[in-house]
Amino acid sequence: MPAKHERPTHGVAMSNVRVRIAPSPTGPPHVGTAYIGLFDYAFARHAGGKFVLRIEDTDQERSTKESEEAILRALRWLGLEYDEGPDVGGPYGPYRQSERTDIYREHAMKLVATGHAYHCFCTRERLSQMRKEQQKRKQPPMYDGTCRELSADEVRSRLDAAEPAVFRLKVPREGETAYTDLVRKKGEPVVFQNRHIDDQVLLKSDGFPTYHLANVVDDHLMEITHVVRAEEWVNSTPKHIMLYKAFGWEPPKYAHMPLLRNRDKSKISKRKNHTSLDWYREHGFLPEAMLNFLALMGFSAEEGEEVFDLDAMVRDFSWDRIKTSQPIFDVDKLEWLNGVYIRELGVDELIERLRPFAEAGRLDQGETTRKMVGIIQERLKTLDEFDKWTWFFFTDELDYDVETLIPKKTTGPETAAILRAALDAYEGVDEWTTEPLEQTGRGLCDRLEFKVGQVFMALRVAITGSGQSPPLFESMEILGRTRSLARLRDALARLGEQEGETGRIAD
RNA sequence: GGCCCCGUCGUCCAGCCUGGUUUAGGACACCGGCCUUUCACGCCGGCGACACGGGUUCAAAUCCCGUCGGGGUCACCA
């Protein structure tokens, strides 16, 4: 059943849909790549089409193999499986632009032959000088056209002289170029005056293409039907349209997604945010929470649900539900979502997810481990908080300040009395499980004239070393009789020590 | 600065296309309360927005225009 708001204007048979994610391997895997990839994936799957991964490594200076591998790993971690890509192959390969340079060169030559592009011999120095002057004159920095009308003879002789050259797009000085966007302007065309469009470099002097040439040629050759990319590309789109026209090709549909933002609304950046997917994985974020959160940044479910999985997004996907406004990357909300997903996990599953975050040997298949993970589950916001909640199970050197042992509205001697009585009582407990341990604790409160809060807090700190811990009696059960009693004795000793030193405890 | 996009609570989102059902709804965060052995979870409540100005209309968050604001982009990077 089709969604009621679905636009019937895609103009492409469902099964023909092909989208691609085209990351540049110039750094750690970026959240923006996952964000765009998510929408690519959701749309492709929704439409029954194909999702392609293409590596845009045309920047020889900055592209690295390590970065490419990390991007592939991150996409897999998230579960954004692609149908075609450099490591899985496919009928439109190669999927790495550095392996397609002949194709671009050939196409660039074609454009020169048809008068849509020209050789340019201007040096970088001259160009930057030119821009400087243009800005001084408050003119928009644009190529001044020096090489635009060079004669064929001059071009040939300079080429023969091995003078470095680039290929530039010959943008018409008149007229306008327009396109319609799937997500913005409510279907009205976005119009650009050609005189504002620069003669973009298509092929660099190192023989590599720029993004503009490579993405157009590849998208066409790979039969991409819909280009889903970030909003920062809107201004380049008319150049791309011109290229399609110059080649005599049909342009794809465009969908420009809103850019992820820093708190100050600027484009998300590593200076102001964690932008590496690896960082989120290493800090205990679940891939399903990450995906759900990223989805929320640009998409809203029909019934307004906030928590939904990839399959639900695929099912409900519609360009009508894609937002245009500038979403701020709100880590607080990500953490909340992560907690939601952690709580939904089964204990055994959670143990496996926790394993990379726990020191070796701390998580086994035993019942005690299951109990321990069970009591911290609803307290975890991220997997890397495992240690924060469980450290006291794995050491006998509790590190805490004696003062924290003394509950509010209680004196040192009173605390000592409480712990003394507790030690006596617990030494008599044989069945060391939560129920009897709690009964004993409550009986203690009745006999002593102290409140539950006072008694339990003193016990809590003695047992766990902190005023904030998992449930006390469950923790005692997990710790075991011997170690629990030892901690009570240890606490008593610490109190005695302090009394001896100061003679008096704060009251 | 030129060009382009965007503009509902602090943040994310619903409502806008197909004006009235809205004293503008939900979520995160924050504050208060309940539950409770702490923390957390859960539950209840509170705070809090249609950028502004015109116009169209019986009626505008919703349609039109202008202003203002925010962002993006102006590389032999993508």
Side-chain angles (χ1 to χ4, degrees), chain A residues 232-303:
Chain A
E232 58 190 329
W233 293 109
V234 166
N235 286 319
S236 303
T237 304
K239 291 170 193 167
H240 303 162
I241 300 279
M242 282 179 189
L243 281 168
Y244 281 101
K245 286 186 180 161
F247 284 120
W249 298 336
E250 181 70 19
K253 307 270 183 206
Y254 288 95
H256 287 99
M257 298 296 299
L259 239 23
L260 262 18
R261 312 290 175 143
N262 296 315
R263 279 226 159 274
D264 65 3
K265 302 249 192 198
S266 58
K267 178 164 81 167
I268 195 165
S269 64
K270 62 181 173 186
R271 282 267 59 100
K272 297 170 182 172
N273 251 301
H274 293 290
T275 57
S276 164
L277 292 166
D278 289 343
W279 187 89
Y280 291 94
R281 178 173 45 71
E282 286 160 8
H283 283 78
F285 288 88
L286 266 32
E288 49 270 60
M290 197 71 209
L291 244 24
N292 192 154
F293 173 69
L294 254 14
L296 253 19
M297 298 275 87
F299 170 84
S300 60
E302 262 187 72
E303 302 302 323

Side-chain angles (χ1 to χ4, degrees), chain A residues 149-444:
Chain A
E149 306 295 347
L150 256 30
S151 71
D153 285 345
E154 178 169 0
V155 169
R156 192 168 308 112
S157 69
R158 292 173 78 166
L159 249 22
D160 287 345
E163 197 173 329
V166 302
F167 288 55
R168 281 182 187 276
L169 179 64
K170 195 167 190 174
V171 176
R173 294 278 159 82
E174 312 261 295
E176 54 187 42
T177 301
Y179 83 100
T180 54
D181 202 298
L182 254 20
V183 307
R184 46 199 73 236
K185 290 284 295 250
K186 299 174 180 172
E188 293 291 311
V190 181
V191 183
F192 298 84
Q193 297 304 313
N194 289 163
R195 63 190 156 83
H196 290 138
I197 302 171
D198 205 357
D199 281 6
Q200 194 50 244
V201 170
L202 301 176
L203 203 68
K204 305 181 238 180
S205 54
D206 65 2
F208 273 60
T210 59
Y211 170 85
H212 306 282
L213 208 219
N215 106 84
V216 166
V217 168
D218 285 346
D219 283 345
H220 176 258
L221 263 22
M222 295 182 180
E223 295 183 38
I224 298 302
T225 57
H226 295 69
V227 171
V228 181
R229 71 206 338 184
E231 190 187 355
E232 58 190 329
W233 293 109
V234 166
N235 286 319
S236 303
T237 304
K239 291 170 193 167
H240 303 162
I241 300 279
M242 282 179 189
L243 281 168
Y244 281 101
K245 286 186 180 161
F247 284 120
W249 298 336
E250 181 70 19
K253 307 270 183 206
Y254 288 95
H256 287 99
M257 298 296 299
L259 239 23
L260 262 18
R261 312 290 175 143
N262 296 315
R263 279 226 159 274
D264 65 3
K265 302 249 192 198
S266 58
K267 178 164 81 167
I268 195 165
S269 64
K270 62 181 173 186
R271 282 267 59 100
K272 297 170 182 172
N273 251 301
H274 293 290
T275 57
S276 164
L277 292 166
D278 289 343
W279 187 89
Y280 291 94
R281 178 173 45 71
E282 286 160 8
H283 283 78
F285 288 88
L286 266 32
E288 49 270 60
M290 197 71 209
L291 244 24
N292 192 154
F293 173 69
L294 254 14
L296 253 19
M297 298 275 87
F299 170 84
S300 60
E302 262 187 72
E303 302 302 323
E305 309 91 340
E306 309 245 346
V307 182
F308 52 83
D309 63 17
L310 231 200
D311 289 342
M313 185 176 171
V314 166
R315 192 186 59 233
D316 298 340
F317 187 88
S318 160
W319 292 115
D320 281 348
R321 304 216 63 87
I322 302 298
K323 293 326 329 164
T324 50
S325 49
Q326 348 176 50
I328 289 170
F329 193 90
D330 179 9
V331 183
D332 281 343
K333 190 141 188 174
L334 207 207
E335 286 193 341
W336 165 74
L337 253 184
N338 205 54
V340 170
Y341 279 93
I342 286 176
R343 275 171 250 132
E344 282 178 357
L345 258 24
V347 175
D348 293 314
E349 172 68 14
L350 179 53
I351 289 172
E352 290 317 305
R353 304 270 196 136
L354 245 16
R355 201 172 297 290
F357 297 88
E359 277 179 43
R362 288 192 173 185
L363 287 169
D364 57 25
Q365 309 298 329
E367 197 51 32
T368 304
T369 293
R370 301 186 85 253
K371 279 181 190 164
M372 177 181 72
V373 170
I375 61 171
I376 66 166
Q377 181 163 21
E378 67 192 24
R379 278 160 250 271
L380 293 173
K381 282 210 301 274
T382 50
L383 298 173
D384 69 348
E385 288 180 335
F386 173 76
D387 189 63
K388 164 188 164 187
W389 289 105
T390 62
W391 66 278
F392 65 90
F393 288 123
F394 303 106
T395 178
D396 285 314
E397 309 267 306
L398 254 37
D399 177 29
Y400 63 88
D401 188 354
V402 204
E403 295 295 332
T404 64
L405 205 46
I406 302 165
K408 290 194 182 78
K409 296 177 185 166
T410 312
T411 65
E414 285 170 342
T415 304
I418 290 170
L419 291 174
R420 171 98 265 150
L423 180 58
D424 288 344
Y426 281 116
E427 277 175 331
V429 174
D430 293 321
E431 194 196 337
W432 202 263
T433 57
T434 302
E435 270 298 296
L437 289 170
E438 176 162 358
Q439 276 168 26
T440 301
R442 294 202 182 275
L444 220 46

Side-chain angles (χ1 to χ4, degrees), chain A residues 416-482:
Chain A
I418 290 170
L419 291 174
R420 171 98 265 150
L423 180 58
D424 288 344
Y426 281 116
E427 277 175 331
V429 174
D430 293 321
E431 194 196 337
W432 202 263
T433 57
T434 302
E435 270 298 296
L437 289 170
E438 176 162 358
Q439 276 168 26
T440 301
R442 294 202 182 275
L444 220 46
C445 299
D446 290 342
R447 274 186 287 116
L448 306 168
E449 70 235 36
F450 295 108
K451 295 206 168 98
V452 177
Q454 292 175 290
V455 175
F456 288 11
M457 184 51 75
L459 281 173
R460 177 185 312 286
V461 176
I463 297 293
T464 73
S466 165
Q468 290 184 12
S469 76
L472 176 58
F473 302 108
E474 279 85 346
S475 297
M476 286 175 72
E477 176 184 333
I478 292 164
L479 247 196
R481 189 170 193 277
T482 310

